[in-house]
């Protein structure tokens, strides 16, 4: 049989072996240093949410690219408008010749020196009505060493009018109108990009604020755990708690240290994300320390009915505006191809005055001259089969029907987007009050558990659990307000009124 001393020695040894992992854990926790992310060493940038949005819209490369797209589209519009501009033409021709001529019965040829010239100027313009108007004036002369000098001046106007193909105003202005619509489409695209950037900035701005809040909450949680560890150590020292109680508290401290490191990482990621979208004009951009100068708060303006938001979305949603503009271009294409099916029938009239003289001054064009020339007529042409134009017209009509279906489908999508976003707004608004009440209750519960622990009526497990739930309630409260602001922004983005509600004009 073992003696009492042997039993005690063996029991003591077993206790030491059992407690060894906890002692090592305590040693590790007490000696380990939290590897925190260093504070940025660059410039300090302070923004309100409005300043952040304006900075991004001014500096963001995506917005700059889309502004250039609008300018490019406008150059095509101006080029198409130039097709209707009047055209001025002018020409000068001068010919000198030397030849021989036989005159009458004379057997010897005569040397003939002649000089001919022609000066002409004209102005032509094509009108959207299918009318072509031309004004022309010319002066010609002939001088020689044998014949009398001759000078001729002409002035006149010619009008050609299409009666079938080319008569339609819509067809003649089709290219110009399509180019003008392309400008409007580019402007809608610019608005869509600007609204998306605005929404991204606000989300990143409040994301950085939330990351800072979460980091502070996790530090608070870490402090609570370390405070509990100190209280537990004191109670173990005086013999009120067994040493085994330290294991769970140390494990909780280690776990919260990991969570704190993750919160620091999220804060750094949020800082970089906001800097990327802001693209501030400063040196050492990536090391800039961004200060959130505005605290989130519930907007004072009341939420309209969902039907009102849907109505606004059907009016202002940029992508819906774009497909409607594309549909309008399709209608113009159908008008143009329908005009192409018509025969070509044009009438024309040309009227002019002519003057003749032996001197240059007397031979100048004279609108009061007694000599005139008037020509009238018509031209007609029609393809025998015209299969190419008919196929083109059928294709444009089919494309127009496809575009109409696309508009209808997008309208339904817009309604779904807005109604879904509206549900998110209502839910997130309700969560603000619910999370606040929960945080207050969890705070009282934690205080109660701490008091009970100090008088010996609670355990570390209960206190640590209350700390965790209190931490989660604070995180939920902080996240609920940011979630509500993001949900509102998303609702305004879905209805296409975000820029108007932020009093921002895109400009080009």
């Amino acid at each position: 049989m073992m003696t009492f001393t042997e039993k005690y020695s063996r029991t003591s040894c077993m206790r030491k072996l059992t407690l060894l992992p906890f002692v090592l854990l305590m040693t590790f926790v007490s000696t380990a240093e939290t590897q925190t992310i260093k504070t940025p060493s660059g410039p300090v940038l302070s923004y309100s949410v409005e300043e952040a949005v304006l900075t991004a819209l001014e500096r963001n490369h995506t917005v700059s690219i889309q502004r250039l797209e609008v300018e490019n589209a406008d150059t095509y519009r101006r080029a198409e408008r130039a097709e209707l501009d009047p055209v001025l033409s002018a020409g000068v021709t001068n010919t000198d010749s030397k030849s021989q001529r036989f005159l009458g019965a004379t057997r010897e040829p005569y040397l003939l020196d002649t000089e001919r010239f022609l000066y002409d100027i004209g102005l032509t313009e094509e009108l959207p009505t299918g009318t072509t108007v031309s004004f022309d004036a010319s002066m010609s002369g002939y001088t020689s060493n044998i014949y009398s000098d001759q000078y001729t001046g002409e002035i006149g106007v010619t009008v050609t009018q299409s009666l079938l193909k080319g008569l339609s105003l819509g067809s003649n202005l089709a290219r110009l109108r399509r180019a003008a619509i392309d400008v409007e489409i580019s402007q809608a695209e610019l608005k869509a990009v600007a609204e998306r950037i605005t929404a991204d900035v606000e989300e990143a701005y409040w994301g950085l604020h939330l990351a800072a809040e979460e980091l502070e909450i996790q530090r608070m949680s870490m402090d609570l755990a370390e405070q509990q560890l100190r209280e537990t150590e004191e109670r173990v020292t005086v013999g009120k708690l067994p040493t085994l109680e330290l294991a769970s508290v140390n494990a909780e401290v280690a776990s919260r240290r990991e969570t704190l490191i993750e919160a620091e990482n999220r804060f750094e990621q949020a800082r970089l994300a906001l800097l990327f979208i802001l693209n501030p004009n400063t040196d050492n951009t990536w090391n800039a320390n961004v200060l959130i100068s505005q605290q989130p708060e519930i907007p004072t303006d009341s939420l309209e009915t969902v039907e009102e938001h849907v109505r606004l979305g059907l009016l202002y949603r940029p992508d819906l505006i774009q497909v409607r503009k594309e549909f309008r271009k399709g209608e113009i294409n159908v008008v143009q191809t329908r005009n192409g099916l018509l025969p070509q029938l044009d009438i024309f009239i040309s009227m002019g005055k002519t003057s003749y003289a032996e001197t240059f001054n007397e031979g100048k064009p004279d609108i009061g001259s007694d000599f005139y020339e008037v020509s009238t007529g018509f031209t007609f042409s029609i393809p025998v089969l015209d299969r190419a134009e008919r196929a083109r017209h059928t294709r444009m009509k089919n494309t127009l029907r496809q575009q109409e279906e696309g508009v209808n489908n997008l309208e339904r999508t817009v309604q779904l987007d807005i109604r879904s976003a509206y549900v998110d707004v209502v839910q997130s608004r309700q969560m603000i009050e619910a999370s606040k009440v929960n945080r207050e209750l969890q705070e009282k519960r934690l205080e109660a558990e701490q008091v009970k622990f100090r008088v010996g009526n609670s355990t570390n497990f209960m206190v640590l659990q209350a700390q965790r739930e209190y931490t989660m309630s604070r995180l939920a409260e902080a996240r609920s307000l940011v979630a509500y602001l993001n949900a509102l922004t998303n609702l305004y983005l879905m209805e296409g009124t975000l820029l108007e509600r932020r009093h921002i004009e895109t400009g080009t």
Side-chain angles (χ1 to χ4, degrees), residues 283-298:
D283 296 331
N284 201 13
T285 299
W286 296 111
N287 289 324
N289 189 5
V290 183
L291 298 182
I292 302 299
S293 63
Q294 184 174 341
Q295 295 299 312
E297 57 184 15
I298 299 176

Side-chain angles (χ1 to χ4, degrees), residues 56-76:
L57 292 178
E58 179 182 356
R59 298 280 303 166
N60 189 272
H61 295 301
T62 305
V63 177
S64 300
I65 291 172
Q66 190 57 45
R67 283 198 182 102
L68 293 176
E69 287 294 330
V70 177
E71 294 181 11
N72 287 339
D74 191 57
T75 61
Y76 287 105

Side-chain angles (χ1 to χ4, degrees), residues 193-356:
V193 169
E195 285 198 331
R196 181 70 265 176
I197 294 298
T198 300
D200 290 345
V201 170
E202 293 187 4
E203 183 177 354
Y205 186 91
W206 298 126
L208 181 58
H209 165 81
L210 180 59
E213 285 286 309
E214 291 181 345
L215 180 57
E216 185 62 29
I217 292 172
Q218 295 299 344
R219 285 173 178 166
M220 176 274 302
S221 178
M222 183 71 183
D223 292 340
L224 288 175
E226 290 178 340
Q227 176 186 346
Q228 187 65 22
L229 177 60
R230 289 192 297 270
E231 292 186 11
T232 303
E233 288 174 341
E234 292 175 359
R235 297 177 70 83
V236 169
T237 302
V238 299
K240 292 185 177 181
L241 288 176
T243 307
L244 288 174
E245 287 290 330
L246 292 174
S248 60
V249 184
N250 275 300
E252 186 69 20
V253 171
S255 175
R256 295 189 189 183
R257 180 172 285 112
E258 292 178 358
T259 306
L260 178 59
I261 293 173
E262 293 172 355
E264 290 175 338
N265 177 68
R266 288 193 296 271
F267 176 81
E268 179 64 11
Q269 295 290 350
R271 183 186 68 87
L272 293 175
L274 183 57
L275 283 173
F276 173 78
I277 197 170
L278 288 180
N279 190 26
N281 185 18
T282 182
D283 296 331
N284 201 13
T285 299
W286 296 111
N287 289 324
N289 189 5
V290 183
L291 298 182
I292 302 299
S293 63
Q294 184 174 341
Q295 295 299 312
E297 57 184 15
I298 299 176
T300 56
D301 55 330
S302 59
L303 196 64
E304 294 94 346
T305 62
V306 65
E307 288 76 15
E308 177 63 16
H309 287 285
V310 169
R311 186 188 70 82
L312 292 174
L314 294 177
L315 287 176
Y316 292 100
R317 178 81 169 252
D319 54 348
L320 185 55
I321 292 175
Q322 292 176 56
V323 297
R324 285 172 176 166
K325 297 293 183 183
E326 291 290 349
F327 177 74
R328 177 62 186 136
K329 287 174 61 178
E331 291 179 325
I332 294 174
N333 290 335
V334 171
V335 171
Q336 190 174 28
T337 55
R338 184 185 298 118
N339 176 77
L341 298 175
L342 298 175
Q344 186 75 45
L345 176 60
D346 299 337
I347 63 170
F348 66 88
I349 180 171
S350 178
M351 299 175 292
K353 288 295 186 75
T354 306
S355 56
Y356 303 93

Side-chain angles (χ1 to χ4, degrees), residues 91-109:
V92 176
T93 303
N94 193 79
T95 304
D96 291 328
S97 65
K98 190 172 189 179
S99 60
Q100 290 181 330
R101 291 289 188 274
F102 291 98
L103 297 178
T106 305
R107 302 299 302 170
E108 294 295 329

